[in-house]
């Protein structure tokens, strides 16, 4: 198994460099094909717009979005040509409410989707729904890369957040190409439940499964000594000099995570190394 189709979705030139470089690096490392979907986003609210405005405003917004898509495509072509990897690009214009359809259509035919962090200073409103569309509608694994992060090719140490959930197991399966290359995979189990099926050997069955794939594993049982699970994972990744974090995404509903917070949202905000997520 390898990542042969690596997709990135671009909607803003100022945050395109890191995901583009990462997409090119993975296509080269795995002998795969890099794809760049360049979207110009029309942010007008058509439901309210026609009440008293001129339709020329909408036309101008669509034209501006189209120009942004073309500029993003030019940037993608320049970057991917310089990386000397097989690649293709596509452009489109989408309204905010329709982003999911465009992203999901391409994501579901990709082995991995590479995106920038959706939160932080200067991030546009469409960054979050693009990540969610790839995960939920596209059912694809998503590698989220921090803006200042050097491109990951072969991870030395990987931290896997293991909580026995279906989401975590899905992420592990999708991350196998990375895990098999890594020097060491650390299975991080935070406050394992006292009454689970793995209570006597937290992470043991997963370590056994990965070992049969030739993965070198260690199990780290951690206490939740910080307010958020994402804080514990980020600190553990820093303490172990990890190059990648693997975790399940949105164990709770997206609404609950958005309102109350959760490990997925907090990780997307705070991660300092690439994070591979799947749902």
């Amino acid at each position: 198994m390898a990542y042969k189709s690596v997709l990135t979705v671009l909607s803003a030139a100022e945050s395109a460099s890191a995901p583009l470089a990462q997409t090119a690096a993975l296509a080269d490392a795995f002998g795969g094909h890099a794809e760049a979907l360049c979207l110009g986003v029309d942010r007008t609210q058509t439901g309210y717009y026609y009440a008293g405005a001129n339709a020329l405003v909408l036309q101008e917004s669509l034209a501006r979005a189209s120009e942004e898509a073309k500029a993003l495509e030019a940037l993608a072509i320049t970057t991917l040509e310089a990386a000397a990897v097989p690649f293709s690009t596509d452009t489109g214009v989408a309204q905010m409410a329709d982003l999911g359809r465009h992203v999901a259509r391409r994501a579901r035919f990709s082995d991995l989707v590479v995106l920038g962090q959706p939160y932080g200073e200067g991030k546009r409103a469409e960054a979050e729904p693009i990540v969610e569309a790839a995960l939920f509608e596209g059912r694809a694994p998503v590698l989220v890369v921090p803006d200042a992060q050097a491109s990951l090719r072969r991870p030395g140490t990987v931290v896997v957040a293991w909580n026995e959930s279906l989401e975590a197991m899905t992420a592990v399966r999708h991350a196998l190409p990375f895990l098999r290359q890594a020097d060491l995979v650390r299975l991080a189990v935070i406050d394992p439940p006292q009454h689970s099926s793995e209570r006597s050997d937290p992470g043991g069955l997963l370590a056994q499964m990965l070992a049969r794939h030739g993965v070198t594993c260690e199990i780290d049982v951690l206490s939740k000594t910080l307010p958020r699970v994402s804080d514990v994972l980020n600190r553990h990744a820093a303490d172990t000099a990890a190059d990648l974090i693997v975790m399940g995404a949105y164990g709770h509903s997206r609404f609950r995570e958005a309102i109350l917070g959760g490990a997925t949202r907090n990780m997307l905000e705070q991660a300092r190394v690439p994070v591979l997520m799947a749902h």
Side-chain angles (χ1 to χ4, degrees), residues 58-256:
L58 178 60
Q59 183 178 346
E60 290 174 0
S61 178
L62 291 172
R64 182 169 58 251
S66 179
E67 290 302 315
E68 288 180 356
K70 292 176 183 177
L72 285 167
E73 184 180 39
L75 174 62
I77 290 173
T78 299
T79 302
L80 297 174
E81 280 184 343
V85 296
F87 75 91
S88 57
T89 62
D90 195 7
T91 62
V93 172
Q95 292 187 315
M96 286 291 292
D98 196 35
L99 270 174
R101 178 173 62 88
H102 294 269
V103 175
R105 181 173 62 88
R106 299 299 293 270
R108 64 173 57 106
F109 296 105
S110 301
D111 296 321
L112 183 67
V113 180
V114 178
L115 300 172
Q117 280 181 299
Y119 306 111
E121 185 177 352
K123 299 297 182 180
R124 297 190 184 184
E126 68 271 10
E128 180 184 44
I130 286 175
V131 171
E132 293 186 349
L135 284 169
F136 286 87
E137 284 77 38
R139 294 291 176 178
V142 173
L143 182 69
V144 178
V145 293
D147 292 338
Q149 177 68 31
S151 296
L152 176 72
R153 296 178 63 89
R154 179 186 177 277
T157 300
V158 179
V159 169
V160 173
W162 179 243
N163 61 359
E164 304 181 37
S165 69
L166 178 60
E167 290 82 10
M169 191 72 247
T170 302
V172 168
R173 293 187 190 280
H174 283 301
L176 272 174
F178 282 132
L179 302 184
R180 294 177 66 180
Q181 288 185 342
D183 298 324
L184 177 62
V185 173
R186 311 189 73 100
L187 306 181
V189 185
I190 301 173
D191 284 348
Q194 298 297 311
H195 304 289
S196 77
S197 59
E198 295 187 5
R199 63 186 179 275
S200 62
D201 185 20
L205 288 175
L206 177 60
Q208 175 181 274
M209 186 196 89
L210 292 176
R212 290 170 180 166
H213 283 276
V215 177
T216 302
C217 296
E218 290 185 4
I219 299 173
D220 300 326
V221 179
L222 309 174
S223 297
K224 190 184 175 187
T225 55
L226 295 171
R228 300 181 298 193
V229 169
S230 58
D231 294 333
V232 178
L233 289 172
N234 276 319
R235 184 180 66 179
H236 191 57
D239 290 345
T240 58
D243 306 300
L244 174 68
I245 296 172
V246 175
M247 64 183 291
Y250 294 102
H252 301 295
S253 71
R254 283 176 284 178
F255 177 78
R256 177 177 173 179

